[in-house]
């Protein structure tokens, strides 16, 4: 019986020791509650002790965490509806405040942060046009709003270091999409008209240049042809002259035969001449 009592005491002591020890790892922060109230906070990494049964230890991740929020609809300065999807990156700066505000539940922290961040971003979005929001400097927008956001996040024991826009969309039930598409179509039509006009202008320039080159080429070709014809005629006259000087009677005979051939080429020609006409001399005699 005595041995059993000793064993029981030893087991109770071991359980008490186990219940009084807790570990805070690197990147975490510890918090000790005494009957539900914060007794000690900002406990760094290492092995720590607490009073069993009376005190409870809570350990929270102090590293950067990304809090995702559902898309938020806002109006730009042009009264155009946009849907903004973003992520807030932050960490716990005060474990006691974090526990008191959220009960140590990360989901509650995200829900409490949502209205703080959305309200701040909504005010900034309302002061910008759609073009400035989509193509402007988003980092400048975030840096401008971070001080106000962190003033609210401080009540939760947190600090936000950055906000990243995942997506900026036009709601499908918004008229803005139709307006944007109409504007895009108008811009494309304008670009197409400009390209067509430039193409037609280039085509006119090319056609005019081609017509000018054609005229020049035809004129040069005609000039060369006239020159060649003149040279050919001159050469023919020279050859005929040489032939006539070598045998005048044969030359006269050949020319007469050519005249006969031309005159009676169609076979139906009729020529009325005096029988003594010189044109007929070679029909009477070859001399």
């Amino acid at each position: 019986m005595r041995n059993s009592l000793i064993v029981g005491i030893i087991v109770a002591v071991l359980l008490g020791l186990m219940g009084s020890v807790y570990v805070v790892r690197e990147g975490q922060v510890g918090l000790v509650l005494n009957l539900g109230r914060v007794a000690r906070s900002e406990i760094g990494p290492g092995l720590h002790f607490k009073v069993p049964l009376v005190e409870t230890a809570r350990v929270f991740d102090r590293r950067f965490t990304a809090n995702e929020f559902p898309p938020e609809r806002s109006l730009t300065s042009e009264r155009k509806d946009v849907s903004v999807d973003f992520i807030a990156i932050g960490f716990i700066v005060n474990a006691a405040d974090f526990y008191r505000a959220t009960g140590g539940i990360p989901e509650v922290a995200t829900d409490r942060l949502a209205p703080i961040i959305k309200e701040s971003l909504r005010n900034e979005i309302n002061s910008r046009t759609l073009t400035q929001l989509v193509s402007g400097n988003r980092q400048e927008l975030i840096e401008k709003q971070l001080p106000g956001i962190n003033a609210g996040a401080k009540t939760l024991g947190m600090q936000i270091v950055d906000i990243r826009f995942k997506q900026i969309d036009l709601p499908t039930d918004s008229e803005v999409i139709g307006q944007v598409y109409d504007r895009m179509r108008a811009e494309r039509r304008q670009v197409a008209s400009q390209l067509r006009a430039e193409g037609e202008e280039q085509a006119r320039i090319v056609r005019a240049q081609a017509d000018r080159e054609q005229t020049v080429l035809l004129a040069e070709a005609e000039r060369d042809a006239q020159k060649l014809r003149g040279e050919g005629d001159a050469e023919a006259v020279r050859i005929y002259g040489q032939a006539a000087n070598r045998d005048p009677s044969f030359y006269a005979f050949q020319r007469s035969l050519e005249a006969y051939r031309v005159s009676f080429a169609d076979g139906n020609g009729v020529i009325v001449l005096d029988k003594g006409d010189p044109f007929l001399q070679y029909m009477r005699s070859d001399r």
Side-chain angles (χ1 to χ4, degrees):
M1 178 66 98
R2 185 175 179 180
N3 291 336
S4 300
L5 181 60
I6 293 173
V7 171
I9 293 173
I10 293 173
V11 171
V13 170
L14 291 175
L15 291 175
L17 289 174
M18 292 178 61
S20 64
V21 176
Y22 65 96
V23 178
V24 179
R25 302 184 184 279
E26 190 69 29
Q28 296 179 333
V29 61
L31 174 74
V32 175
L33 303 174
N34 191 323
L35 298 178
R37 303 181 65 178
V38 177
R40 297 184 300 279
S41 64
E42 302 305 315
I43 301 172
L47 182 65
H48 303 280
F49 297 91
K50 60 182 178 62
V51 178
L53 303 178
V54 177
E55 293 183 337
T56 304
R58 297 289 302 272
V59 178
F60 306 111
D61 194 341
R62 206 168 204 171
R63 294 172 298 180
F64 289 131
T65 58
N67 298 279
E68 296 190 20
F69 301 94
E72 178 71 10
R73 296 180 64 162
S74 303
L75 293 176
T76 64
S77 61
E78 306 162 299
R79 308 302 297 172
K80 292 181 178 179
D81 197 9
V82 294
S83 178
V84 181
D85 193 2
F86 60 93
I87 296 176
I89 301 174
F91 64 99
I92 298 173
V93 293
N94 190 304
D97 291 342
F98 179 77
Y99 177 79
R100 293 190 186 99
T102 66
I105 304 174
E107 291 77 11
V108 174
T110 300
D111 293 340
R112 296 286 299 275
L113 277 173
I116 298 173
I117 298 176
K118 290 180 178 180
E119 185 64 28
S120 181
L121 292 180
R122 184 183 297 111
N123 293 334
E124 189 66 24
I125 292 172
N126 292 344
S127 65
R128 295 174 180 254
T129 64
L130 180 61
T131 302
Q132 292 173 339
L133 184 62
V134 174
S135 60
N137 189 345
R138 299 182 186 177
Q139 189 61 34
E140 179 183 351
L141 182 152
I142 298 303
E143 290 177 355
K144 184 177 180 181
Q145 295 301 315
L146 275 180
I149 292 174
N150 280 322
K154 186 178 180 180
T155 61
L156 305 178
M158 298 185 66
Q159 180 178 344
I160 304 300
V161 296
D162 195 9
I163 296 176
R164 300 293 178 88
F165 288 110
K166 294 174 58 179
Q167 200 169 348
I168 298 178
D169 282 334
L170 299 173
T172 56
D173 58 346
S174 172
E175 296 180 357
V176 179
I177 293 181
Q179 296 173 1
V180 170
Y181 288 159
D182 291 341
R183 184 182 306 160
M184 291 173 63
R185 281 191 289 266
E187 291 176 353
R188 293 298 94 193
R189 282 195 294 267
Q190 183 178 359
V191 172
S193 299
Q194 181 179 355
L195 291 176
R196 279 194 294 269
E198 293 176 354
E200 291 174 357
E201 182 180 0
Q202 291 295 326
R204 285 194 296 270
I205 294 174
V206 171
R207 281 195 294 268
Q209 184 176 358
D211 292 340
R212 182 170 61 253
E213 292 178 354
Q214 179 187 19
T215 302
V216 172
L217 290 174
L218 290 176
E220 292 177 350
E222 182 63 23
R223 180 196 62 196
D224 294 341
Q226 291 288 351
K227 181 179 178 181
L228 292 174
R229 280 195 293 268
E231 292 175 352
D233 292 341
E235 183 67 15
V237 170
R238 186 185 66 78
I239 293 173
Y240 285 142
Q242 290 178 352
N245 291 331
R246 182 175 297 177
D247 191 348
S249 60
F250 178 76
Y251 179 73
F253 177 71
Q254 183 183 11
R255 296 289 291 177
S256 297
L257 291 180
E258 290 179 358
Y260 295 157
R261 185 182 301 110
V262 172
S263 300
F264 302 106
D266 59 354
N268 297 319
V270 177
I271 299 177
V272 180
L273 296 171
D274 186 76
K275 68 177 182 178
D277 191 282
F279 184 73
L280 301 176
Q281 66 175 340
Y282 292 106
M283 293 185 177
R284 296 190 300 270
S285 173
D286 59 354
R287 298 190 179 204

